[in-house]
């Protein structure tokens, strides 16, 4: 059965890096279907729009289409379903994703083009639906409950997908990894408690490291982003993951998300020694009163303790913050500003409190009659916020401005790096890279090169020191050494397009145009999506 797994962002978000990215869960479903023998195409139509996507799908003539429906992309996704059914009336259309999971009945009632809704985890439900040669069933049977998958290691990881792809840059798509599903907590603004039932399934540390090794070898990816709600939920797994990365000499940098009450200094030290560069903490507010309203079950003390541990270890610290909770006042925002000034995050994301189906906050607003499920079909807005007053917008800007204003104090300097070495050890290569970057930004090329060379001497199989040495040499117009450094990167990670791009630029600066052209062509074969490569190739026409 020819099957298409597709995603389409709201057209207004087509240039938003994150909202236009294919969800990892959809890629996982495609990989699972492919493993079971289905002919699967994976397509991200965010750049195409509804009309162009529908035309492409008509030409493909799939037997079944799975659409990933989130709140922010619901309108164009449902329009696409209608357009597909109009062109291909016999094609089975299946909707999944968080928005479809919680509003399945309403979607099926209003959008006749959709044949089934898969609620929750999609891999097994999708496979069983297609294996039985499903045709449109009676209404009562058209919502398929996704079975909780306890052994996530049994699933092929997303980067194993080897079928046809459209609109997907593997170098970007596969650097995003999810290693667990679920969360035991009950934050009022999050749908996870209803989606997963407050239980968590985990991939093993070995499985995660195998995925990273696969991505390094096949795609040359050397930076990863772990997108679990709370990667640090199981301490022993994090420690084992960090140990395995080091044992297998997988020299990658990575970031992750964490709650503030599941971090400790020992864990952070091991994570950083294994490549952790950046960690995002779910802080939300600096007001104890608001944290209780969110049902976060964390305290200001927890936030301060976690932030201090991150800064001591020397990973970059980022906060997720919100403004506009019910009955939130200026005094609460002032407390959040004061928290920012005390804890010194390097950056952060500030959002107004939004309503999403399946969250406790949404249910409470719906129960009192202020909202109902028809809203999502009456409004084309990607999101709906709890409060619409102008004051919330001012608060969001205040917090964002404060994050920028403290940057002179929050970014690490020489005295900080000395503390990082004391905590994580003199041989922590990530510290060498980050301190070198600090000096490079300050224009101290000599000191930056000393640090990068130290990391290269201690870890000769690590591409990061050579990549940074090449950058420093290029910036100081030492193109010969830059070319040699980038050649070393290629030797270490042959499928990393960035090494070839930078070597091509160095060769061009040296006047070696033929070699530069060949290197640029090799980079383009590895990554035809990078605009820098396209621009470089234009110089040879």
């Amino acid at each position: 059965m020819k099957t298409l797994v597709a995603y389409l962002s709201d057209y207004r978000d087509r240039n938003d890096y994150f909202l236009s990215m294919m969800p990892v869960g959809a890629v996982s479903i495609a990989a699972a279907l492919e493993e079971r023998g289905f002919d699967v195409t994976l397509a991200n139509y965010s750049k195409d729009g509804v009309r162009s996507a529908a035309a492409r799908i008509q030409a493909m003539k799939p037997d079944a289409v799975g659409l990933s429906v989130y709140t922010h992309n619901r309108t164009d996704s449902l329009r696409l379903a209608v357009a597909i059914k109009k062109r291909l009336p016999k094609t089975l259309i299946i909707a999944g994703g968080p928005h479809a999971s919680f509003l399945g009945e309403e979607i099926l009632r209003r959008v006749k083009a959709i044949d089934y809704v898969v609620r929750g985890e999609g891999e097994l439900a999708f496979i069983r639906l297609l294996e039985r040669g499903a045709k449109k069933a009676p209404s009562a049977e058209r919502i398929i409950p996704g079975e909780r998958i306890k052994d996530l290691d049994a699933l092929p990881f997303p980067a194993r997908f080897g079928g046809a792809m459209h609109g997907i840059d593997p170098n970007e798509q596969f650097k995003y990894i999810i290693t667990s599903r679920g969360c035991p907590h009950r934050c009022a603004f999050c749908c996870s408690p209803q989606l997963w039932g407050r239980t968590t399934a985990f991939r093993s540390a070995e499985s995660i490291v195998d995925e990273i090794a696969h991505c390094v070898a096949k795609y040359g990816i050397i930076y990863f982003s772990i997108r679990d709600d709370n990667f640090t939920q199981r301490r022993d797994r994090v420690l084992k993951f960090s140990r395995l990365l080091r044992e297998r000499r997988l020299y990658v940098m990575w970031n992750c998300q964490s709650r503030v009450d599941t971090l400790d200094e020992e864990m952070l030290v091991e994570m950083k020694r294994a490549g952790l560069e950046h960690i995002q903490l779910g802080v939300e507010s600096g007001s104890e009163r608001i944290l209780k309203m969110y049902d976060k079950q964390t305290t200001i003390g927890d936030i301060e303790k976690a932030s201090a541990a991150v800064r001591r270890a020397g990973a970059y610290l980022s906060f997720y913050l919100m403004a506009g909770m019910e009955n939130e006042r200026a005094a609460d925002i002032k407390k959040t500003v004061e928290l920012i000034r005390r804890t010194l995050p390097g950056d952060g994301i500030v959002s107004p409190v939004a309503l999403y189906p399946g969250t406790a906050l949404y249910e409470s607003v719906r129960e009192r009659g202020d909202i109902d499920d028809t809203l999502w079909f009456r409004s084309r807005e990607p999101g709906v916020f709890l409060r619409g007053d102008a004051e919330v917008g001012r608060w969001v800007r205040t917090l964002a401005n404060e994050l920028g204003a403290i940057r002179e104090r929050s970014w690490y300097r020489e005295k900080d790096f000395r503390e990082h070495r004391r905590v994580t050890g003199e041989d922590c290569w990530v510290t060498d890279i980050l301190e070198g970057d600090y000096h490079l930004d300050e224009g101290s090329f000599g000191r930056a090169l000393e640090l990068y060379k130290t990391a290269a001497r201690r870890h000769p199989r690590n591409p990061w020191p050579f990549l940074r040495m090449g950058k420093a040499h290029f910036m100081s117009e030492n193109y010969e050494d830059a070319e040699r450094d980038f050649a070393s990167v290629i030797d270490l990670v042959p499928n990393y397009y960035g090494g070839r791009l930078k070597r091509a630029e160095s060769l061009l600066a040296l006047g070696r145009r033929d070699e530069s052209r060949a290197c640029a062509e090799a980079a383009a074969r590895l990554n035809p999506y990078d605009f820098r490569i396209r621009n470089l190739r234009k110089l040879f026409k």
Side-chain angles (χ1 to χ4, degrees), residues 115-140:
D115 300 300
Y116 290 93
V117 167
V118 171
R119 178 172 285 163
E121 291 178 86
E123 290 88 353
L124 298 182
F126 211 121
I127 287 169
R128 288 169 184 166
L129 191 58
L130 297 187
E131 283 184 337
R132 73 188 192 203
K135 297 181 180 179
K136 194 161 184 173
S139 296

PDB file of all heavy atoms in Angstrom, residues 115-140:
ATOM      1  N   ASP A 115     -11.185  10.196   7.242  1.00  0.00           N
ATOM      2  CA  ASP A 115     -11.798   8.888   7.465  1.00  0.00           C
ATOM      3  C   ASP A 115     -11.577   8.365   8.871  1.00  0.00           C
ATOM      4  O   ASP A 115     -12.468   7.720   9.437  1.00  0.00           O
ATOM      5  CB  ASP A 115     -11.229   7.882   6.450  1.00  0.00           C
ATOM      6  CG  ASP A 115     -11.508   8.305   5.020  1.00  0.00           C
ATOM      7  OD1 ASP A 115     -12.693   8.442   4.674  1.00  0.00           O
ATOM      8  OD2 ASP A 115     -10.542   8.526   4.260  1.00  0.00           O
ATOM      9  N   TYR A 116     -10.382   8.620   9.436  1.00  0.00           N
ATOM     10  CA  TYR A 116     -10.056   8.134  10.778  1.00  0.00           C
ATOM     11  C   TYR A 116      -9.252   9.185  11.531  1.00  0.00           C
ATOM     12  O   TYR A 116      -8.537   9.989  10.932  1.00  0.00           O
ATOM     13  CB  TYR A 116      -9.218   6.849  10.714  1.00  0.00           C
ATOM     14  CG  TYR A 116      -9.964   5.631  10.229  1.00  0.00           C
ATOM     15  CD1 TYR A 116      -9.951   5.283   8.879  1.00  0.00           C
ATOM     16  CD2 TYR A 116     -10.670   4.823  11.124  1.00  0.00           C
ATOM     17  CE1 TYR A 116     -10.623   4.169   8.425  1.00  0.00           C
ATOM     18  CE2 TYR A 116     -11.344   3.702  10.677  1.00  0.00           C
ATOM     19  CZ  TYR A 116     -11.334   3.374   9.332  1.00  0.00           C
ATOM     20  OH  TYR A 116     -12.013   2.270   8.880  1.00  0.00           O
ATOM     21  N   VAL A 117      -9.368   9.126  12.827  1.00  0.00           N
ATOM     22  CA  VAL A 117      -8.496   9.878  13.724  1.00  0.00           C
ATOM     23  C   VAL A 117      -7.798   8.874  14.625  1.00  0.00           C
ATOM     24  O   VAL A 117      -8.461   8.021  15.242  1.00  0.00           O
ATOM     25  CB  VAL A 117      -9.282  10.897  14.572  1.00  0.00           C
ATOM     26  CG1 VAL A 117      -8.415  11.432  15.710  1.00  0.00           C
ATOM     27  CG2 VAL A 117      -9.781  12.049  13.707  1.00  0.00           C
ATOM     28  N   VAL A 118      -6.479   8.959  14.676  1.00  0.00           N
ATOM     29  CA  VAL A 118      -5.702   8.152  15.618  1.00  0.00           C
ATOM     30  C   VAL A 118      -5.439   8.998  16.847  1.00  0.00           C
ATOM     31  O   VAL A 118      -4.891  10.101  16.745  1.00  0.00           O
ATOM     32  CB  VAL A 118      -4.379   7.666  14.998  1.00  0.00           C
ATOM     33  CG1 VAL A 118      -3.496   7.028  16.071  1.00  0.00           C
ATOM     34  CG2 VAL A 118      -4.657   6.672  13.883  1.00  0.00           C
ATOM     35  N   ARG A 119      -5.840   8.516  17.993  1.00  0.00           N
ATOM     36  CA  ARG A 119      -5.718   9.254  19.254  1.00  0.00           C
ATOM     37  C   ARG A 119      -4.509   8.731  20.030  1.00  0.00           C
ATOM     38  O   ARG A 119      -4.444   7.557  20.382  1.00  0.00           O
ATOM     39  CB  ARG A 119      -7.003   9.089  20.064  1.00  0.00           C
ATOM     40  CG  ARG A 119      -6.998   9.758  21.416  1.00  0.00           C
ATOM     41  CD  ARG A 119      -8.387   9.687  22.041  1.00  0.00           C
ATOM     42  NE  ARG A 119      -9.306  10.642  21.414  1.00  0.00           N
ATOM     43  CZ  ARG A 119     -10.621  10.582  21.521  1.00  0.00           C
ATOM     44  NH1 ARG A 119     -11.191   9.578  22.173  1.00  0.00           N
ATOM     45  NH2 ARG A 119     -11.378  11.507  20.955  1.00  0.00           N
ATOM     46  N   GLY A 120      -3.528   9.601  20.273  1.00  0.00           N
ATOM     47  CA  GLY A 120      -2.347   9.202  21.040  1.00  0.00           C
ATOM     48  C   GLY A 120      -1.242   8.691  20.137  1.00  0.00           C
ATOM     49  O   GLY A 120      -1.039   9.178  19.023  1.00  0.00           O
ATOM     50  N   GLU A 121      -0.519   7.677  20.609  1.00  0.00           N
ATOM     51  CA  GLU A 121       0.633   7.156  19.867  1.00  0.00           C
ATOM     52  C   GLU A 121       0.190   6.508  18.566  1.00  0.00           C
ATOM     53  O   GLU A 121      -0.716   5.669  18.547  1.00  0.00           O
ATOM     54  CB  GLU A 121       1.411   6.170  20.732  1.00  0.00           C
ATOM     55  CG  GLU A 121       2.106   6.851  21.899  1.00  0.00           C
ATOM     56  CD  GLU A 121       2.847   5.875  22.789  1.00  0.00           C
ATOM     57  OE1 GLU A 121       4.009   5.554  22.482  1.00  0.00           O
ATOM     58  OE2 GLU A 121       2.267   5.457  23.796  1.00  0.00           O
ATOM     59  N   GLY A 122       0.877   6.850  17.482  1.00  0.00           N
ATOM     60  CA  GLY A 122       0.369   6.477  16.181  1.00  0.00           C
ATOM     61  C   GLY A 122       0.977   5.272  15.512  1.00  0.00           C
ATOM     62  O   GLY A 122       0.385   4.717  14.587  1.00  0.00           O
ATOM     63  N   GLU A 123       2.166   4.834  15.936  1.00  0.00           N
ATOM     64  CA  GLU A 123       2.871   3.797  15.174  1.00  0.00           C
ATOM     65  C   GLU A 123       2.053   2.509  15.040  1.00  0.00           C
ATOM     66  O   GLU A 123       1.758   2.058  13.922  1.00  0.00           O
ATOM     67  CB  GLU A 123       4.233   3.487  15.808  1.00  0.00           C
ATOM     68  CG  GLU A 123       5.263   4.583  15.663  1.00  0.00           C
ATOM     69  CD  GLU A 123       5.211   5.603  16.788  1.00  0.00           C
ATOM     70  OE1 GLU A 123       4.266   5.529  17.614  1.00  0.00           O
ATOM     71  OE2 GLU A 123       6.099   6.474  16.833  1.00  0.00           O
ATOM     72  N   LEU A 124       1.679   1.900  16.147  1.00  0.00           N
ATOM     73  CA  LEU A 124       0.981   0.617  16.088  1.00  0.00           C
ATOM     74  C   LEU A 124      -0.423   0.774  15.535  1.00  0.00           C
ATOM     75  O   LEU A 124      -0.899  -0.076  14.757  1.00  0.00           O
ATOM     76  CB  LEU A 124       0.940  -0.017  17.480  1.00  0.00           C
ATOM     77  CG  LEU A 124       2.296  -0.345  18.108  1.00  0.00           C
ATOM     78  CD1 LEU A 124       2.115  -1.017  19.455  1.00  0.00           C
ATOM     79  CD2 LEU A 124       3.131  -1.225  17.181  1.00  0.00           C
ATOM     80  N   ALA A 125      -1.105   1.854  15.915  1.00  0.00           N
ATOM     81  CA  ALA A 125      -2.475   2.067  15.437  1.00  0.00           C
ATOM     82  C   ALA A 125      -2.495   2.249  13.922  1.00  0.00           C
ATOM     83  O   ALA A 125      -3.359   1.687  13.226  1.00  0.00           O
ATOM     84  CB  ALA A 125      -3.069   3.294  16.131  1.00  0.00           C
ATOM     85  N   PHE A 126      -1.545   3.015  13.410  1.00  0.00           N
ATOM     86  CA  PHE A 126      -1.482   3.263  11.969  1.00  0.00           C
ATOM     87  C   PHE A 126      -1.191   1.970  11.224  1.00  0.00           C
ATOM     88  O   PHE A 126      -1.821   1.653  10.200  1.00  0.00           O
ATOM     89  CB  PHE A 126      -0.394   4.307  11.694  1.00  0.00           C
ATOM     90  CG  PHE A 126      -0.659   5.184  10.515  1.00  0.00           C
ATOM     91  CD1 PHE A 126      -0.733   6.561  10.657  1.00  0.00           C
ATOM     92  CD2 PHE A 126      -0.810   4.646   9.242  1.00  0.00           C
ATOM     93  CE1 PHE A 126      -0.973   7.388   9.566  1.00  0.00           C
ATOM     94  CE2 PHE A 126      -1.039   5.461   8.143  1.00  0.00           C
ATOM     95  CZ  PHE A 126      -1.122   6.831   8.300  1.00  0.00           C
ATOM     96  N   ILE A 127      -0.238   1.193  11.741  1.00  0.00           N
ATOM     97  CA  ILE A 127       0.128  -0.072  11.100  1.00  0.00           C
ATOM     98  C   ILE A 127      -1.071  -1.016  11.047  1.00  0.00           C
ATOM     99  O   ILE A 127      -1.390  -1.600   9.997  1.00  0.00           O
ATOM    100  CB  ILE A 127       1.307  -0.728  11.848  1.00  0.00           C
ATOM    101  CG1 ILE A 127       2.608   0.038  11.562  1.00  0.00           C
ATOM    102  CG2 ILE A 127       1.458  -2.194  11.430  1.00  0.00           C
ATOM    103  CD1 ILE A 127       3.758  -0.377  12.444  1.00  0.00           C
ATOM    104  N   ARG A 128      -1.768  -1.170  12.166  1.00  0.00           N
ATOM    105  CA  ARG A 128      -2.905  -2.106  12.206  1.00  0.00           C
ATOM    106  C   ARG A 128      -4.037  -1.642  11.311  1.00  0.00           C
ATOM    107  O   ARG A 128      -4.720  -2.463  10.672  1.00  0.00           O
ATOM    108  CB  ARG A 128      -3.364  -2.275  13.647  1.00  0.00           C
ATOM    109  CG  ARG A 128      -2.378  -3.098  14.465  1.00  0.00           C
ATOM    110  CD  ARG A 128      -2.657  -3.062  15.944  1.00  0.00           C
ATOM    111  NE  ARG A 128      -1.621  -3.795  16.672  1.00  0.00           N
ATOM    112  CZ  ARG A 128      -1.428  -3.722  17.976  1.00  0.00           C
ATOM    113  NH1 ARG A 128      -2.209  -2.946  18.716  1.00  0.00           N
ATOM    114  NH2 ARG A 128      -0.466  -4.413  18.554  1.00  0.00           N
ATOM    115  N   LEU A 129      -4.241  -0.344  11.254  1.00  0.00           N
ATOM    116  CA  LEU A 129      -5.289   0.201  10.399  1.00  0.00           C
ATOM    117  C   LEU A 129      -5.014  -0.112   8.933  1.00  0.00           C
ATOM    118  O   LEU A 129      -5.902  -0.543   8.187  1.00  0.00           O
ATOM    119  CB  LEU A 129      -5.362   1.715  10.608  1.00  0.00           C
ATOM    120  CG  LEU A 129      -6.546   2.477  10.016  1.00  0.00           C
ATOM    121  CD1 LEU A 129      -7.869   1.938  10.544  1.00  0.00           C
ATOM    122  CD2 LEU A 129      -6.417   3.963  10.350  1.00  0.00           C
ATOM    123  N   LEU A 130      -3.780   0.051   8.515  1.00  0.00           N
ATOM    124  CA  LEU A 130      -3.435  -0.196   7.120  1.00  0.00           C
ATOM    125  C   LEU A 130      -3.318  -1.687   6.815  1.00  0.00           C
ATOM    126  O   LEU A 130      -3.658  -2.121   5.705  1.00  0.00           O
ATOM    127  CB  LEU A 130      -2.132   0.515   6.769  1.00  0.00           C
ATOM    128  CG  LEU A 130      -2.148   2.045   6.860  1.00  0.00           C
ATOM    129  CD1 LEU A 130      -0.846   2.621   6.329  1.00  0.00           C
ATOM    130  CD2 LEU A 130      -3.328   2.639   6.127  1.00  0.00           C
ATOM    131  N   GLU A 131      -2.853  -2.467   7.776  1.00  0.00           N
ATOM    132  CA  GLU A 131      -2.686  -3.900   7.525  1.00  0.00           C
ATOM    133  C   GLU A 131      -4.025  -4.609   7.342  1.00  0.00           C
ATOM    134  O   GLU A 131      -4.093  -5.639   6.667  1.00  0.00           O
ATOM    135  CB  GLU A 131      -1.897  -4.551   8.667  1.00  0.00           C
ATOM    136  CG  GLU A 131      -0.412  -4.275   8.584  1.00  0.00           C
ATOM    137  CD  GLU A 131       0.390  -4.997   9.644  1.00  0.00           C
ATOM    138  OE1 GLU A 131      -0.198  -5.364  10.693  1.00  0.00           O
ATOM    139  OE2 GLU A 131       1.600  -5.184   9.437  1.00  0.00           O
ATOM    140  N   ARG A 132      -5.068  -4.083   7.925  1.00  0.00           N
ATOM    141  CA  ARG A 132      -6.379  -4.712   7.737  1.00  0.00           C
ATOM    142  C   ARG A 132      -7.092  -4.166   6.498  1.00  0.00           C
ATOM    143  O   ARG A 132      -8.261  -4.464   6.256  1.00  0.00           O
ATOM    144  CB  ARG A 132      -7.246  -4.538   8.978  1.00  0.00           C
ATOM    145  CG  ARG A 132      -7.794  -3.151   9.199  1.00  0.00           C
ATOM    146  CD  ARG A 132      -8.469  -3.049  10.548  1.00  0.00           C
ATOM    147  NE  ARG A 132      -9.240  -1.823  10.678  1.00  0.00           N
ATOM    148  CZ  ARG A 132      -9.566  -1.253  11.826  1.00  0.00           C
ATOM    149  NH1 ARG A 132      -9.169  -1.815  12.966  1.00  0.00           N
ATOM    150  NH2 ARG A 132     -10.288  -0.162  11.864  1.00  0.00           N
ATOM    151  N   GLY A 133      -6.361  -3.368   5.700  1.00  0.00           N
ATOM    152  CA  GLY A 133      -6.922  -2.826   4.478  1.00  0.00           C
ATOM    153  C   GLY A 133      -8.121  -1.963   4.753  1.00  0.00           C
ATOM    154  O   GLY A 133      -9.177  -2.108   4.126  1.00  0.00           O
ATOM    155  N   ALA A 134      -7.972  -1.052   5.688  1.00  0.00           N
ATOM    156  CA  ALA A 134      -9.109  -0.294   6.208  1.00  0.00           C
ATOM    157  C   ALA A 134      -9.817   0.518   5.140  1.00  0.00           C
ATOM    158  O   ALA A 134      -9.197   1.133   4.277  1.00  0.00           O
ATOM    159  CB  ALA A 134      -8.632   0.633   7.320  1.00  0.00           C
ATOM    160  N   LYS A 135     -11.120   0.482   5.217  1.00  0.00           N
ATOM    161  CA  LYS A 135     -11.967   1.380   4.458  1.00  0.00           C
ATOM    162  C   LYS A 135     -12.780   2.169   5.464  1.00  0.00           C
ATOM    163  O   LYS A 135     -12.787   1.870   6.655  1.00  0.00           O
ATOM    164  CB  LYS A 135     -12.876   0.595   3.515  1.00  0.00           C
ATOM    165  CG  LYS A 135     -12.094  -0.184   2.449  1.00  0.00           C
ATOM    166  CD  LYS A 135     -13.017  -0.933   1.512  1.00  0.00           C
ATOM    167  CE  LYS A 135     -12.201  -1.686   0.457  1.00  0.00           C
ATOM    168  NZ  LYS A 135     -13.082  -2.448  -0.465  1.00  0.00           N
ATOM    169  N   LYS A 136     -13.488   3.153   4.990  1.00  0.00           N
ATOM    170  CA  LYS A 136     -14.217   4.030   5.906  1.00  0.00           C
ATOM    171  C   LYS A 136     -15.204   3.220   6.729  1.00  0.00           C
ATOM    172  O   LYS A 136     -16.032   2.475   6.192  1.00  0.00           O
ATOM    173  CB  LYS A 136     -14.943   5.128   5.133  1.00  0.00           C
ATOM    174  CG  LYS A 136     -15.433   6.260   6.017  1.00  0.00           C
ATOM    175  CD  LYS A 136     -15.726   7.494   5.212  1.00  0.00           C
ATOM    176  CE  LYS A 136     -16.124   8.652   6.107  1.00  0.00           C
ATOM    177  NZ  LYS A 136     -16.262   9.912   5.358  1.00  0.00           N
ATOM    178  N   ALA A 137     -15.101   3.372   8.046  1.00  0.00           N
ATOM    179  CA  ALA A 137     -15.912   2.592   8.981  1.00  0.00           C
ATOM    180  C   ALA A 137     -17.066   3.439   9.506  1.00  0.00           C
ATOM    181  O   ALA A 137     -17.119   4.641   9.302  1.00  0.00           O
ATOM    182  CB  ALA A 137     -15.027   2.121  10.141  1.00  0.00           C
ATOM    183  N   PRO A 138     -18.008   2.811  10.210  1.00  0.00           N
ATOM    184  CA  PRO A 138     -19.055   3.592  10.873  1.00  0.00           C
ATOM    185  C   PRO A 138     -18.449   4.593  11.850  1.00  0.00           C
ATOM    186  O   PRO A 138     -17.337   4.401  12.351  1.00  0.00           O
ATOM    187  CB  PRO A 138     -19.865   2.518  11.616  1.00  0.00           C
ATOM    188  CG  PRO A 138     -19.579   1.253  10.884  1.00  0.00           C
ATOM    189  CD  PRO A 138     -18.182   1.370  10.379  1.00  0.00           C
ATOM    190  N   SER A 139     -19.189   5.652  12.132  1.00  0.00           N
ATOM    191  CA  SER A 139     -18.657   6.762  12.949  1.00  0.00           C
ATOM    192  C   SER A 139     -18.073   6.278  14.261  1.00  0.00           C
ATOM    193  O   SER A 139     -17.025   6.751  14.706  1.00  0.00           O
ATOM    194  CB  SER A 139     -19.766   7.780  13.209  1.00  0.00           C
ATOM    195  OG  SER A 139     -20.185   8.353  11.991  1.00  0.00           O
ATOM    196  N   ALA A 140     -18.727   5.346  14.918  1.00  0.00           N
ATOM    197  CA  ALA A 140     -18.290   4.887  16.238  1.00  0.00           C
ATOM    198  C   ALA A 140     -16.934   4.210  16.197  1.00  0.00           C
ATOM    199  O   ALA A 140     -16.271   4.070  17.215  1.00  0.00           O
ATOM    200  CB  ALA A 140     -19.325   3.947  16.836  1.00  0.00           C
TER     201      ALA A 140
END
